Amino acid sequence: QAQLVESGGGLVQAGGSLRLSCEASGSISSPNVMGWYRQAPGKQRELVAVIGTGGVTNYADSVKGRFFISRDNGKNTVFLQMNSLKPEDTAVYYCNLKGLHALVYWGQGTQVTISS
């Protein structure tokens, strides 16, 4: 079992930046895919960005060019640098890890609120 702990959420004004971190601990398979999903009130949870152990990334169209995902394999940590934030980015952001044998783990979520 793996455990994911997010940090870095908060309130920021539109146009600002925020950096989320998620550290994984426990039994972590390699290779794996780590990433971020978000869920706004009344909406479905959606993929924001994911990154594999080797660095291959995938971004939602809505965040391309603004958000950047990275990871530190040595620290089992994934980051999400969010720039040019918009009110529509407001959501609970969840860290996610997909490992071997289709094992999936989720963090508790961290609130990101962008004010206009």
Side-chain angles (χ1 to χ4, degrees), residues 9-67:
L11 280 66
V12 66
Q13 200 167 42
S17 297
L18 204 61
R19 192 188 196 213
L20 305 182
S21 299
C22 172
E23 183 176 3
S25 61
S27 182
I28 304 168
S29 63
S30 183
N32 60 63
V33 177
M34 297 186 72
W36 297 91
Y37 292 70
R38 67 186 182 187
Q39 187 167 22
K43 298 183 179 179
Q44 299 181 55
R45 187 174 298 186
E46 64 176 352
L47 180 148
V48 177
V50 295
I51 182 168
T53 302
V56 177
T57 60
N58 186 38
Y59 294 91
D61 289 340
S62 60
V63 307
K64 286 181 179 177
R66 299 189 299 121
F67 291 11

Side-chain angles (χ1 to χ4, degrees), residues 37-41 45 89-94 108-112:
Y37 292 70
R38 67 186 182 187
Q39 187 167 22
R45 187 174 298 186
D89 294 319
T90 295
V92 177
Y93 284 69
Y94 296 92
Q108 292 296 116
T110 184
Q111 178 69 48
V112 172

